[in-house]
Amino acid sequence: MTSSRIPKTAIGLACLVLPLAACSNSKPAPTVTVTAGATGGTGAAGAPEATATSVAAPAKASKNYNLTFIQGVAGDEFYITMQCGIEAEARKLGVSVRVQGPQKFDPTLQRPILDSVVSSKPDAILIAPTDVSAMQSPLQAAAQAGIDVVLVDTTVKDPSFATSQIASDNIGGGKAAFEAIKQLAPQGGKVMIMSVDPGISTTDARAKGFEDAVKADSKYQYLGIQYSHNDPATASNLISSALQKDPDIVGVFAANLFSAEGTATGVRQAGKQNQVSIVGFDAGPNQVKALKAGTVQALVAQQPAAIGQYGVDAAVAKLDGQTPPAKVQTGFTVITKDNVDGAGAEAIYKSDC
């Protein structure tokens, strides 16, 4: 994730085990990178649509376009890493980019930033919408004002106005998290999800992928989902309460950075490190620290730098008169204690560029 790696081939989820075995239908994979498929995808209306795994862009933009990247939340290592990918690609293509973001992942805070950016009339906006409904109308209005809108990481209910949508294979990532828990707790048992808030496209998709996978395996009992509101302290309190109600929980899928951080704290405070396996989504410094300490057993890392790179590529391609893919999926890497200082180190998110 610290570099803009380009996914190469589709790899089945059957390959995602700890440790990872090589697939018979792909080259041997000594690392644990999993890429998204190029044939799936469903649009807002439920119609199948092609999904690409990269974006073709000119070697140089035809002019110095003005782009603005609006983060989901400022200071989050995921969006910082995405910013690094955006800025690097902007320099390469010869375009300018500004970066802004709300202090919380909240549409009431992101909306005023978007309105201000729209009034400045950039050539394109790259944005991670903080709510599938609340950000629909303002983003659609931005597109109607003649600004190319590229959705990065998250999306809205009807993204038909967007130049392109670029995100991880979040359903696949949720399934991957369950596969990791199966390896860590093969005896089966009770599992749950710690997420952010309902209505966020990415974490909702991760939860669906995990839930579907759990319900397909009779050895595991799904206890449902708890929402931490992106607050580690809340996640810690929620998992503490969950363990009091169900002291025999064997696994937790924490669907984002702060959910994992708080869940790890709560499990440690409950003295359940040897019983509860935690698989987190994202790979910020605090999560990696927890992984090395053994509180978190695996991390499903996205490719935020690649998402940012492809976002710039899509915007520039459109501005230069090309037609970029409507939907692009990037892959993810499973980081464990065994590879965190080796191949997995490349997937750890940045605190600065």
Side-chain angles (χ1 to χ4, degrees):
M1 303 318 126
T2 56
S3 62
S4 300
R5 295 177 302 187
I6 299 176
K8 296 179 180 179
T9 59
I11 302 177
L13 276 174
C15 302
L16 191 61
V17 295
L18 305 175
L20 191 76
C23 303
S24 60
N25 63 346
S26 65
K27 294 181 180 179
T31 63
V32 286
T33 298
V34 178
T35 59
T39 57
T42 302
E49 60 182 81
T51 302
T53 55
S54 64
V55 180
K60 284 286 183 181
S62 62
K63 60 178 287 189
N64 182 8
Y65 298 115
N66 291 313
L67 280 56
T68 297
F69 169 42
I70 302 177
Q71 302 163 308
V73 59
D76 186 312
E77 287 90 356
F78 174 82
Y79 290 113
I80 292 172
T81 308
M82 188 184 296
Q83 175 184 343
C84 296
I86 287 171
E87 292 177 340
E89 192 70 357
R91 287 191 296 269
K92 176 183 173 183
L93 298 185
V95 299
S96 301
V97 62
R98 297 173 58 208
V99 180
Q100 298 185 54
Q103 294 304 307
K104 292 184 179 180
F105 197 91
D106 184 337
T108 65
L109 300 179
Q110 191 183 48
R111 171 71 183 268
I113 295 173
L114 174 62
D115 291 342
S116 176
V117 169
V118 169
S119 68
S120 71
K121 299 181 179 179
D123 295 302
I125 294 173
L126 283 67
I127 184 170
T130 49
D131 189 272
V132 293
S133 299
M135 297 306 294
Q136 173 76 43
S137 179
L139 284 171
Q140 197 160 345
Q144 290 171 347
I147 301 171
D148 287 313
V149 177
V150 177
L151 305 178
V152 288
D153 182 38
T154 47
T155 188
V156 290
K157 283 188 175 180
D158 179 6
S160 58
F161 63 85
T163 294
S164 187
Q165 301 176 74
I166 304 167
S168 304
D169 175 13
N170 285 288
I171 289 180
K175 292 178 180 177
F178 178 63
E179 290 297 324
I181 284 181
K182 285 178 67 174
Q183 291 294 315
L184 295 162
Q187 76 280 3
K190 297 176 181 178
V191 298
M192 61 171 286
I193 300 173
M194 186 69 69
S195 192
V196 193
D197 286 299
I200 301 171
S201 61
T202 49
T203 49
D204 285 352
R206 293 168 203 165
K208 176 173 173 50
F210 184 87
E211 179 181 338
D212 289 349
V214 174
K215 290 180 177 179
D217 193 323
S218 60
K219 290 176 63 178
Y220 296 85
Q221 180 183 348
Y222 179 54
L223 298 180
I225 186 168
Q226 302 261 17
Y227 293 107
S228 68
H229 314 302
N230 216 34
D231 178 43
T234 300
S236 178
N237 291 334
L238 288 171
I239 190 63
S240 295
S241 297
L243 284 168
Q244 289 175 5
K245 181 180 178 182
D246 292 282
D248 52 347
I249 292 172
V250 300
V252 179
F253 170 39
N256 83 326
L257 189 150
F258 293 128
S259 296
E261 182 181 330
T263 298
T265 299
V267 169
R268 184 175 65 251
Q269 291 174 345
K272 298 280 189 176
Q273 301 97 311
N274 295 328
Q275 172 190 311
V276 181
S277 296
I278 302 172
V279 176
F281 210 98
D282 289 323
N286 288 335
Q287 286 172 286
V288 172
K289 182 178 179 181
L291 177 70
K292 290 183 175 181
T295 309
V296 174
Q297 283 67 51
L299 300 173
V300 181
Q302 301 180 75
Q303 295 180 322
I307 293 173
Q309 173 196 333
Y310 295 155
V312 174
D313 290 342
V316 170
K318 178 67 181 302
L319 291 166
D320 270 0
Q322 301 175 26
T323 303
K327 196 168 187 179
V328 182
Q329 280 189 342
T330 57
F332 44 85
T333 299
V334 175
I335 307 175
T336 68
K337 202 169 183 179
D338 293 336
N339 70 5
V340 66
D341 292 318
E346 295 183 19
I348 297 172
Y349 301 170
K350 293 181 176 182
S351 297
D352 58 66
C353 299

